[in-house]
Amino acid sequence: DIVMTQSPDSLAVSLGERATINCKSSQNVLYYSNKKTYLAWYQQKAGQPPQLLIYWASTREFGVPERFSGSGSGTNFTLTINSLQAEDVAVYYCQQYYSTPWTFGQGTKVEIK
Amino acid sequence: EVQLVESGGSVVRPGGSLRLSCAISGFSFDDYGMSWVRQAPGKGLEWVSGIKRNGGITGHTDSVRGRFTISRDNAKNSLYLQMNSLRAEDTALYYCARDAAVGTEGVFDFWGQGTQVTVSS
C-alpha cells in the first residue's frame, strides 16, 4: 500500500497570510504513460463531509477559490492557501489514487492564529 | 442537484452484520464509479471499497477484504455495502462518494453526509 504522510499535523496562520501543507507519498504516484500525477487534496470542515479541492496534483476543482493551489511531483506535494480566510478553517487531506487501496494522509488541521 | 443519501447505520454487536445503502439522485448513476469511505471518531479518512460503473469491483482495503461486499443496482440508483463479521474497529461514519469522472477513478467529487456504524457489545 502507498503510505501518505502529511506535515505538519496542525498549523495556525493569521488571516490574510499563507498556509502551506506538505504531503509525501511512499511511492511515486506519477503514471509515466500519461504523465499524470494521481494526487488529490480535500478540505473537511467540522461536521461536514470532505470536499474535493485539487486533483492531478494541481488541477483546481470547479468552484474552488483561486487562493487554493497544488504543486509537486513524484513523491512530494504541497497544498498552498494564499491569503487565508476564516472559512478556510478545516482539516486538509491529501490522497493518492495511483493504485488501490486508495489512501489518504492523516490530515492537517488549519486554524486561525 | 447531485444527492447521495446514506442509510442503514446502526449499533451492532461484534460479529454482527449490517447493510448500508446509498440512494443517488441528480446524475446518471450508471455513468460513474462509486466508493465507500469511512471515518472513525476523531480520525482521518479511510477508503473502504470501490465499484466501477458496470459493477466490476475496484477493490477493498485489506482490513475488510472477505468481510465487506460492495454492490450496486443501477436500475434503482443505489449503492450498497454488506458488512459481515463486524469488529469494534469498524466503528465509523461511512460515506458514499462518487468518482469524479471516467479516468479519475479514486477522486471523489461528491459525498453523502454519512451513516454511523457503531460496533459495541
Side-chain angles (χ1 to χ4, degrees):
Chain A
D1 298 2
I2 298 176
V3 177
M4 307 300 290
T5 304
Q6 293 180 227
S7 61
D9 289 335
S10 65
L11 74 161
V13 177
S14 300
L15 289 172
E17 297 300 306
R18 177 180 298 169
T20 301
I21 301 169
N22 300 302
C23 173
K24 186 175 180 64
S25 58
S26 62
Q27 299 175 35
N28 196 325
V29 296
L30 167 66
Y31 195 44
Y32 287 103
S33 65
N34 61 10
K35 294 184 173 47
K36 289 191 171 183
T37 299
Y38 287 61
L39 190 284
W41 289 96
Y42 299 85
Q43 174 194 65
Q44 187 177 31
K45 298 181 179 179
Q48 296 184 19
Q51 178 185 347
L52 176 65
L53 295 176
I54 303 280
Y55 57 99
W56 300 133
S58 61
T59 300
R60 203 177 300 114
E61 170 70 338
F62 179 78
V64 172
E66 290 184 3
R67 64 181 181 273
F68 291 92
S69 63
S71 62
S73 62
T75 60
N76 290 286
F77 305 95
T78 300
L79 175 70
T80 301
I81 311 173
N82 284 307
S83 188
L84 190 79
Q85 306 297 302
E87 61 264 31
D88 301 333
V89 168
V91 179
Y92 293 84
Y93 296 93
C94 62
Q95 180 227 342
Q96 64 81 20
Y97 51 104
Y98 180 86
S99 66
T100 58
W102 298 317
T103 48
F104 294 85
Q106 80 277 17
T108 296
K109 187 174 185 178
V110 173
E111 300 173 306
I112 304 298
K113 185 186 292 182
Chain B
E1 180 191 6
V2 172
Q3 288 197 332
L4 293 75
V5 180
E6 302 93 338
S7 62
S10 177
V11 179
V12 61
R13 294 190 184 279
S17 297
L18 276 179
R19 188 194 196 204
L20 306 185
S21 299
C22 179
I24 307 301
S25 61
F27 65 96
S28 181
F29 181 53
D30 52 10
D31 282 344
Y32 291 86
M34 301 291 297
S35 281
W36 289 96
V37 178
R38 67 185 178 184
Q39 188 167 33
K43 301 297 185 183
L45 302 168
E46 181 183 31
W47 177 73
V48 174
S49 186
I51 189 166
K52 299 181 189 296
R53 50 187 182 156
N54 63 0
I57 304 302
T58 304
H60 300 82
T61 193
D62 288 346
S63 63
V64 309
R65 189 169 288 113
R67 301 188 299 124
F68 291 11
T69 302
I70 189 171
S71 63
R72 65 190 294 160
D73 186 335
N74 287 347
K76 294 184 177 180
N77 286 344
S78 293
L79 177 72
Y80 306 102
L81 186 67
Q82 178 66 43
M83 309 166 67
N84 299 329
S85 303
L86 281 160
R87 306 168 180 166
E89 54 264 35
D90 296 319
T91 294
L93 185 64
Y94 284 73
Y95 294 104
C96 70
R98 188 185 86 166
D99 282 349
V102 172
T104 57
E105 286 87 355
V107 179
F108 310 120
D109 64 348
F110 282 95
W111 300 63
Q113 292 295 313
T115 187
Q116 179 66 42
V117 172
T118 301
V119 184
S120 174
S121 55

